[in-house]
Amino acid sequence: MRWSAILKRLALIPPTLLGVGAIVFVLLRVVPGDPIAMMIPPGASPADITRMRALYGLDQPLLSQFITWLGQVATGDFGRSISLRQQVFELVGTRLPATLELASLSVVMALLMGGAVALVGSLMRGTRAEWLLDTANGVFLAIPDFLWALILLLGFGVLLPLLPISGRLDPQLAVAFRTHFYLIESLLTLRLDVAADLLRHMLLPSLALALPFAALVARLLKAQLAEAEDQDYAQIARTRGFSRTTILQREVFPNALIPTVALSGVQVTLLLGGTVLVERIFSYEGIGNMAIDAVINRDFPLIQGLILTFAVLFIALNLAVDLLVALLDPRLRHG
C-alpha cells in the first residue's frame, strides 16, 4: 500500500466518524423512552425532571443538541454518563484495556489453533483424518461465539468447575494497578500470581471468542495451502526432491498466508463486536459489558461514546490489516 493510499484512508476517518456519530445520535433520540425518567426516583417533582433535562441538554432542539455534542467531542469531551454520573471518557478509559487484552488473547489463540489445524489437515490430505478435521471444523464454525460462551459456562461452571466463570480478577489478589492493562502490568512487574489469575479469568471468554474464528482461519488457510501446493513453484520444488513437509513450510505456507491474513482481518472486527455478548455472559469488566448496561439504562452520552470507540477500533484494525498485507506482499506496495 502506497503512502498516498494510506493518506486517503486516513482522510476518510473524520467523515466516517461524523456519519456514525450523526446516525447514532438521531436514532437514540427517535427511539421511544426517556433516560431521565429511568434515573429519577419515584415521586420526583416536575421541577426536578426539568432541572435534570436541562443539566444534560435534553431540553434543547435536536440540532442544537447535536452541534453542542459535536463541539464537545472535537475537544475530547464525550459528556457525562447519565446512569453512572462520571465522564464518559474516563469510563471508557477504565474498561477499554480489559476488552483489548481479552480480544488480543482471543486472536492469538485463534491463529495458533486455526493454523495448526490447517497444517495438520493439509499434511493428511485425502485421508479419514482430514475428513474428521473438516467435519469438526464445520461444527466449530457453525456455533456462534455467544453460544460457545454458554456451552463453556455450563461445562466449566456447572459440570466441571475448574475455571472462574465471572469477573476479571479475584478480589483477594487486587493490587494498586497504575494502568488499566492489568495483565500487561502484572507481567511487567513480575506479579505472576496476579497474571495467572487474570489469565484464568480470561480463558473461557477468550476461548468462546476464539473457537469460531479459529475454525474460519483453519478453513481459509487450508484452502489457500491446497491452492498453493498446485502452483508451479511447488511442483518444481517437488521434482528437485524436497519433501512435502519442507515444501509446505518453505514455499507454500508463506504464499498461502497473505490472502488468509487479509480475509481474517475482517473477522477480527467481528470478534471485537462479539465481546459485547461474551463479556456480559461472563460478567467480564470490559466495554462490551458496559455497552449493554448503557443500552438498558438508555444512557445517551455513554452509548454514543462507546459506539464511537468501537468505530475507531474497527477503522484502526482494518487499516492495520491492510498495512500488514502490504508488508507481506511487495506487489501491493509498488502496484
Side-chain angles (χ1 to χ4, degrees), residues 144-179:
D145 48 20
F146 70 89
L147 193 53
W148 275 117
L150 294 174
I151 293 171
L152 293 171
L153 186 71
L154 179 65
F156 292 93
V158 178
L159 301 178
L160 196 64
L162 296 176
L163 292 168
I165 56 172
S166 66
R168 188 183 179 190
L169 177 67
D170 187 335
Q172 295 182 352
L173 290 175
V175 296
F177 292 102
R178 294 184 178 180
T179 70

Side-chain angles (χ1 to χ4, degrees), residues 119 122-123 225 229 243-254:
L119 286 173
S122 296
L123 289 172
L225 288 172
E229 273 195 289
S243 68
R244 190 181 176 202
T245 304
T246 303
I247 296 171
L248 205 60
Q249 291 176 344
R250 295 182 180 178
E251 305 289 342
V252 174
F253 186 76

Side-chain angles (χ1 to χ4, degrees), residues 5 19 28 32 50 55 57 94-95 105 136 139 189 191 198 230 233 241 249 271 275 278 285 290 298 314 316 323:
L28 286 175
T50 300
L55 179 63
T94 60
R95 295 289 192 93
L105 181 62
V139 173
T189 56
R191 285 300 306 268
L198 285 164
D230 294 332
Y233 58 84
Q249 291 176 344
L271 181 146
T275 59
V278 172
E285 299 170 356
M290 177 183 281
R298 294 187 57 78
F314 291 158
L323 291 173

Side-chain angles (χ1 to χ4, degrees), residues 264-292:
S264 299
V266 178
Q267 187 65 21
V268 173
T269 59
L270 297 177
L271 181 146
L272 196 61
T275 59
V276 174
L277 287 177
V278 172
E279 286 183 359
R280 186 65 168 189
I281 291 171
F282 287 101
S283 301
Y284 190 79
E285 299 170 356
I287 58 172
N289 198 0
M290 177 183 281
I292 292 182

Side-chain angles (χ1 to χ4, degrees), residues 1 51 61 96 102 192 205 212 226 230 238 267 289 333 335:
M1 180 180 286
R51 183 176 57 81
L96 180 59
L102 181 67
L192 300 183
D230 294 332
R238 193 171 293 115
Q267 187 65 21
N289 198 0
R333 295 202 297 272

Side-chain angles (χ1 to χ4, degrees), residues 117-252:
V117 171
L119 286 173
V120 172
S122 296
L123 289 172
M124 296 182 173
R125 197 172 172 184
T127 65
R128 288 188 177 181
E130 184 197 15
W131 181 83
L132 286 174
L133 278 177
D134 287 345
T135 303
N137 201 55
V139 173
F140 278 72
L141 188 59
I143 300 177
D145 48 20
F146 70 89
L147 193 53
W148 275 117
L150 294 174
I151 293 171
L152 293 171
L153 186 71
L154 179 65
F156 292 93
V158 178
L159 301 178
L160 196 64
L162 296 176
L163 292 168
I165 56 172
S166 66
R168 188 183 179 190
L169 177 67
D170 187 335
Q172 295 182 352
L173 290 175
V175 296
F177 292 102
R178 294 184 178 180
T179 70
H180 295 285
F181 288 93
Y182 291 177
L183 181 60
I184 295 174
E185 187 177 334
S186 60
L187 289 173
L188 291 176
T189 56
L190 299 180
R191 285 300 306 268
L192 300 183
D193 57 334
V194 177
D197 189 74
L198 285 164
L199 286 171
R200 289 181 72 247
H201 280 81
M202 293 170 66
L203 187 56
L204 293 182
S206 59
L207 193 60
L209 292 167
L211 287 175
F213 188 16
L216 180 67
V217 170
R219 175 168 291 187
L220 292 174
L221 184 57
K222 184 169 175 288
Q224 294 299 327
L225 288 172
E227 184 178 339
E229 273 195 289
D230 294 332
Q231 298 299 313
D232 291 341
Y233 58 84
Q235 301 290 344
I236 293 172
R238 193 171 293 115
T239 59
R240 289 179 178 174
F242 290 103
S243 68
R244 190 181 176 202
T245 304
T246 303
I247 296 171
L248 205 60
Q249 291 176 344
R250 295 182 180 178
E251 305 289 342
V252 174

